[in-house]
Amino acid sequence: MSGILEIRDVEVTFEVGPLMRRRSILGVAGVSFDLHAGETFAIVGESGSGKTTLARAINGLQGISNGSIRFDEERIDTLGGRAMKPLRRRMSMMFQDPVGSLSPRMKVGNLIAEPFRIHGIVDKNPNVEVPRLLSLVGLTPEFADRYPHQLSGGQARRVGVARAIALNPALIIADEPTAGLDVSVQGEVLNLLNDLRERLGLAMIIITHNLHVVHHVADRMAVMYLGRFVEVGDTDEIFRAPRHPYTAALLSANPEPDPDKARDRIALPAEVPSLLARPAGCEFHSRCPWVAARCKSEAPEFVQSETRKVACHTPLEPGARPPAMEVTL
Amino acid sequence: MTVLAIKDLNVTFSTEGGQLHALKNVSFDVPERRIVGVVGESGCGKSTLINAILGLLADNGSIDAGSITFEGEDLTRLGPARMQELRGQRISTVFQDPMGALNPVLSVGRQMRNIQYRSGRSRSEKDARSEAMLRQVRIPDAQAALARYPHEFSGGMRQRVAIAMALMMKPALLIADEPTTALDATLEVATIELLRELQQDIACSVLFISHHLGVIAELCDDVVVMYAGEVVERGTTRQVFHTPRHPYARRLLECDPARQSGRTRHLPTIPGEIPDLRQRPPGCVFATRCDQRVDACDKVPPDVAVETGHVARCVLAEAR
């Protein structure tokens, strides 16, 4: 099956520091993956690990310094802003802050009709399209007359979803689509995205911190650390048996809503290395409980075994416990 | 001993569309050395509550009734000068975005020295205290860190620096507003463990606001559940998480994806919307969305003490 999106060895470089001592850092350091129609792919990892940068690179909001991005078999990373514009009809983005991404001076109806205007689509009547989109996201037509500040957090997200699906995209990239929402509203937004995915055959990339959400909505997931994928695979399988130590630590840290639950955590030293001073060898070795001599000098390959890809010299066996180590949090 | 006692607090905002009742008859206590969590959806009044405590309500907001007693003083009656003395000294805050709390053009050491302006310590004593505090939040090479600027720290470290600054003056109350939302799970857990440890060390109380039920369950001693500007249920974390008595609290806990045993594409939700706070329903504020609604819900529900310290604002809590 051919993918709708094909990402190969993508790197994003940022220039930092004062003029005379300018250095470049790799925000995204060689990421590859495929996405198929109708599939939901989650990217998890800490803030600063490059998730949002990767999403912006896919959408063409951020240039890449290496690698290639193909969308529907067409290479898009080399396209300029103007050539990219028609493609954005088919690839839409949902940003983190729902109210912040809506202009406070425009009514909801105009906000939803805006994509049609921007792309010069005249054969669609906004008086038909706006109510249709509102009902698709579960809002009544009266909402067209409201301003963003008159919406609740959940309603603002719905308007964001309506805008994202207005032009029938094939792909939605959602950056923290439920951050700041309580669990009930979060469920509504995720159910809505999932319904639309099923009905419209959308492919979706979801970027989030919330591992419980990932478990329920994503078919496949990738774990990102310092701008690289360290583990990619089927969500269920990764939750059952993580093979990269960082994934295992993330899953074990996931707080559970039960005050009496026994917690069996893999503790990690809290120091995340700087992108300016990437560790030699395996970049996770400075925090890895299973670290061995080899990890400090030799970078692991990103190895494919069956349905899983892992960047580790000695991937974990199911249920592996960390060796006793001095934890310096 | 109670550090903070909020009693029948009512806050309204004057808006174009009329008076908006942001907080209605809010009562709860933050006892000494306890961590009290506040949960509720966006717009339920959590931020208004914090601003009312800190004396930072917007100009169109006012406290119409009720009291906020902090260490024996009613904060609603204090002038701005006294409030300023308390803020940062006796009551301090940590917010979601540490970058917003730190001054980007001053070194961390300078900012930490500035916080101690009332302490009467000498400059070198202040710096020694800053260094010790940074060490306590596990910033490596604390002495060198004092000379660094906020942007030179990673996100997790920045939040720890903000926590160090907030606890610098050994406040009686720390208000933490979603302090771990921007961190990944490993750093989130490390940060709440650190908070717990510092809280015990300094012997302060914490008011901890979060959407994340898992974090609340893990960190907090007591929980306050807010809905549409009202405290609908409060009790110890065990009481509220194991035997929720208000239908909203129960539904909220059921909706947590972490509670779904099997993997599901369709997550549970609470149908309906939060009511317009300018036209509050005369009876129970949750009645329109409640699946256990009875006729008595048209009247103002009582605060029912179902157990010692466990209170639910629901007529059904009474019947059982």
Side-chain angles (χ1 to χ4, degrees):
Chain A
M1 189 161 83
S2 76
I4 182 167
L5 192 67
E6 189 189 293
I7 312 279
R8 289 290 172 272
D9 305 314
V10 164
E11 291 186 6
V12 176
T13 315
F14 294 109
E15 302 286 323
V16 295
L19 197 59
M20 302 308 287
R21 284 179 286 134
R22 182 122 321 168
R23 302 175 59 186
S24 53
I25 58 169
L26 276 175
V28 175
V31 163
S32 305
F33 71 95
D34 290 327
L35 184 70
H36 303 288
E39 185 181 44
T40 306
F41 185 71
I43 303 174
V44 301
E46 60 210 342
S47 357
S49 63
K51 306 186 298 282
T52 298
T53 306
L54 177 61
R56 290 170 56 88
I58 295 169
N59 199 266
L61 295 171
Q62 170 72 55
I64 64 174
S65 50
N66 211 348
S68 66
I69 300 173
R70 278 172 217 277
F71 179 65
D72 258 356
E73 291 170 9
E74 181 187 0
R75 182 137 182 205
I76 60 170
D77 54 283
T78 46
L79 298 176
R82 188 162 303 187
M84 190 70 198
K85 190 175 162 186
L87 278 168
R88 291 223 175 88
R89 291 169 60 165
R90 314 206 31 244
M91 187 197 289
S92 57
M93 186 103 181
M94 271 177 75
F95 293 98
Q96 245 178 65
D97 175 5
V99 180
S101 59
L102 303 176
S103 165
R105 306 174 71 113
M106 285 169 78
K107 287 185 179 175
V108 166
N110 280 331
L111 285 165
I112 293 178
E114 198 182 20
F116 296 102
R117 241 186 352 264
I118 288 172
H119 289 281
I121 297 168
V122 288
D123 57 337
K124 301 261 187 187
N125 180 356
N127 296 330
V128 179
E129 288 300 305
V130 169
R132 180 183 73 87
L133 288 163
L134 280 171
S135 86
L136 260 180
V137 298
L139 295 173
T140 54
E142 291 81 64
F143 275 91
D145 281 327
R146 294 212 193 168
Y147 283 99
H149 72 267
Q150 295 168 312
L151 304 174
S152 70
Q155 289 164 348
R157 300 270 171 177
R158 284 165 189 270
V159 173
V161 175
R163 274 160 61 89
I165 60 170
L167 302 174
N168 273 328
L171 168 68
I172 289 187
I173 303 171
D175 192 356
E176 295 279 3
T178 62
L181 298 178
D182 87 275
V183 287
S184 149
V185 184
Q186 166 181 291
E188 283 173 29
V189 172
L190 293 173
N191 290 343
L192 171 64
L193 283 173
N194 192 47
D195 287 351
L196 294 170
R197 183 190 61 84
E198 276 173 5
R199 279 158 65 186
L200 311 174
L202 289 172
M204 245 189 309
I205 297 178
I206 290 190
I207 294 170
T208 180
H209 286 298
N210 191 325
L211 292 167
H212 294 297
V213 164
V214 171
H215 193 195
H216 288 297
V217 305
D219 302 302
R220 286 192 307 137
M221 67 186 278
V223 179
M224 212 168 175
Y225 187 75
L226 294 186
R228 295 183 209 278
F229 283 180
V230 295
E231 183 156 7
V232 180
D234 178 87
T235 306
D236 256 348
E237 286 177 27
I238 288 184
F239 269 77
R240 211 172 312 129
R243 304 212 65 199
H244 193 282
Y246 179 59
T247 315
L250 268 185
L251 296 180
S252 81
N254 202 9
E256 300 280 341
D258 180 350
D260 293 324
K261 191 172 167 104
R263 297 173 214 282
D264 188 15
R265 290 224 162 101
I266 301 170
L268 293 185
E271 270 0 284
V272 185
S274 159
L275 291 175
L276 281 165
R278 288 176 174 274
C282 170
E283 292 177 340
F284 186 62
H285 87 251
S286 60
R287 298 176 72 196
C288 184
W290 285 272
V291 63
R294 181 185 176 197
C295 307
K296 294 179 183 171
S297 55
E298 197 184 322
E301 301 269 322
F302 200 28
V303 185
Q304 174 96 41
S305 65
E306 291 162 37
T307 57
R308 193 84 64 92
K309 271 179 109 172
V310 184
C312 183
H313 288 306
T314 50
L316 304 178
E317 295 303 322
R321 293 298 310 153
M325 69 180 284
E326 222 176 287
V327 178
T328 44
L329 263 177
Chain B
M1 253 288 281
T2 302
V3 170
L4 182 77
I6 298 177
K7 190 123 188 60
D8 293 325
L9 187 67
N10 282 270
V11 172
T12 56
F13 290 98
S14 322
T15 67
E16 282 173 37
Q19 290 292 105
L20 186 152
H21 293 266
L23 294 181
K24 193 181 166 204
N25 299 338
V26 167
S27 301
F28 69 93
D29 291 346
V30 180
E32 204 174 33
R33 299 186 188 204
R34 301 276 282 187
I35 302 184
V36 178
V38 180
V39 284
E41 60 195 308
S42 351
C44 74
K46 300 189 300 274
S47 305
T48 304
L49 176 68
I50 297 175
N51 290 334
I53 297 170
L54 293 170
L56 297 174
L57 282 177
D59 289 342
N60 63 338
S62 65
I63 295 176
D64 297 340
S67 60
I68 304 171
T69 311
F70 173 72
E71 295 192 311
E73 282 180 285
D74 184 355
L75 300 185
T76 64
R77 294 169 191 281
L78 294 185
R82 177 69 187 137
M83 276 313 292
Q84 197 160 356
E85 275 173 24
L86 290 176
R87 282 194 299 260
Q89 308 289 315
R90 300 302 298 153
I91 306 178
S92 62
T93 44
V94 179
F95 294 104
Q96 184 176 335
D97 173 18
M99 215 43 194
L102 302 173
N103 187 330
V105 299
L106 296 182
S107 68
V108 161
R110 173 89 177 270
Q111 296 183 55
M112 295 186 81
R113 200 187 297 144
N114 290 349
I115 296 172
Q116 304 174 70
Y117 73 112
R118 282 173 196 276
S119 66
R121 296 182 191 123
S122 74
R123 185 170 162 156
S124 58
E125 280 168 354
K126 285 179 188 166
D127 286 348
R129 169 96 185 99
S130 305
E131 195 188 319
M133 204 63 216
L134 286 185
R135 198 164 289 130
Q136 220 178 347
V137 296
R138 302 185 186 111
I139 300 291
D141 203 359
Q143 195 182 356
L146 287 176
R148 289 160 69 192
Y149 289 83
H151 73 269
E152 297 177 79
F153 294 89
S154 69
M157 277 215 269
R158 240 178 251 152
Q159 192 58 287
R160 299 213 298 281
V161 169
I163 291 172
M165 288 187 183
L167 296 176
M168 192 84 185
M169 300 313 292
K170 304 205 163 157
L173 177 67
L174 173 72
I175 299 178
D177 188 1
E178 305 253 7
T180 62
T181 306
L183 306 174
D184 86 353
T186 60
L187 293 176
E188 178 164 60
V189 165
T191 306
I192 60 178
E193 279 167 4
L194 178 70
L195 259 182
R196 166 66 85 183
E197 186 188 306
L198 290 168
Q199 176 261 342
Q200 282 168 356
D201 190 54
I202 292 173
C204 64
S205 305
V206 180
L207 188 61
F208 187 90
I209 283 116
S210 180
H211 285 293
H212 197 324
L213 297 170
V215 171
I216 296 262
E218 200 150 307
L219 176 71
C220 299
D221 302 306
D222 302 310
V223 184
V224 171
V225 183
M226 290 188 70
Y227 178 77
E230 295 187 33
V231 172
V232 293
E233 180 155 356
R234 60 181 202 264
T236 65
T237 306
R238 280 203 179 78
Q239 286 168 337
V240 174
F241 275 74
H242 290 328
T243 51
R245 296 298 295 273
H246 193 284
Y248 174 69
R250 190 180 310 137
R251 297 287 293 129
L252 190 68
L253 290 168
E254 284 167 7
C255 285
D256 193 333
R259 287 227 173 172
Q260 314 312 317
S261 44
R263 189 166 170 228
T264 171
R265 283 280 189 171
H266 202 82
L267 295 162
T269 60
I270 308 175
E273 291 284 344
I274 203 160
D276 185 344
L277 299 184
R278 278 166 298 213
Q279 289 141 23
R280 299 185 79 94
C284 171
V285 71
F286 187 62
T288 51
R289 300 172 74 181
C290 187
D291 52 9
Q292 296 169 46
R293 187 194 167 126
V294 294
D295 287 345
C297 298
D298 293 336
K299 296 200 193 74
V300 177
D303 278 341
V304 181
V306 288
E307 238 184 309
T308 315
H310 188 185
V311 176
R313 188 170 283 185
C314 176
V315 286
L316 295 172
E318 216 163 28
R320 286 226 313 232

